[in-house]
Amino acid sequence: MRKTGAGSPLFGFYVGQDRKQVEKMVPQLGQGGTSLPDRDLYLKSDARSLKIQEGFKIYVSTLFELIGTSPGQAKANAETIYQLEKKLAEAQMSRLEMRDPYKTYNKFAFNEFNQKTPAFNWALTFQDFGITVPDSVLVSAPKFYESVNKMLIETPIETWKTYLTWNLLKGSSSYLSSPFVNASFTFNQVVSGQKA
């Protein structure tokens, strides 16, 4: 999905310049996996955040219904996805923490990071990305990966299947028929507060 641009579930990945050794390019891993624009939108309970959370669930449910999922199952899928993404948001660093260049520069030997987060199977993951196993990797949020590693072990496979389907749906919706595009537009209005 990442290689084709169809989605990027769980985390961000790219190859970029090492900030401390600028002559070197290095694989870099960032936190991710959530659909809402800010982790706090999952964690706050003010009126605006609650409205966005509800709008998100409606959006997810709508897209599932558009691919033929029954309304009841689509609503259940939306709740499953919201709860999973909320756990991912809880594991993420805050926006303020992410601005700290010292906190986000965490260089690991590849084998060390693989041992810390074995459920990811990084050698196979990098192979799927078309990249040979590197000597080292830069990780912006190591605690996020440790939390997600635990989630990968503890979360039922059906939940992950639903989540991956959602990632494909949201990444494709703007290229599909008008009902998909309209659902995305409506949801973006809820997030931005823009009126029709």
Side-chain angles (χ1 to χ4, degrees), residues 60-78 162 165-166 169 180:
V60 175
S61 180
T62 300
L63 291 194
F64 271 99
E65 285 189 55
L66 287 171
I67 62 167
T69 307
S70 70
Q73 186 60 55
K75 190 173 181 181
N77 289 353
T162 302
T165 301
W166 162 243
L169 270 175
F180 289 89

Side-chain angles (χ1 to χ4, degrees), residues 146-157:
E146 290 172 24
S147 295
V148 176
N149 186 77
K150 190 176 179 186
M151 288 173 65
L152 285 169
I153 295 165
E154 296 175 351
T155 305
I157 190 75

Side-chain angles (χ1 to χ4, degrees), residues 97-109:
E97 289 175 307
M98 289 299 293
R99 290 189 193 128
D100 186 330
Y102 297 102
K103 283 187 178 179
T104 57
Y105 186 93
N106 303 283
K107 195 169 193 176
F108 291 89

Side-chain angles (χ1 to χ4, degrees), residues 10 16 27 69 91 115 126 162 165 185:
L10 285 183
T69 307
Q115 288 171 0
F126 276 49
T162 302
T165 301
F185 181 76

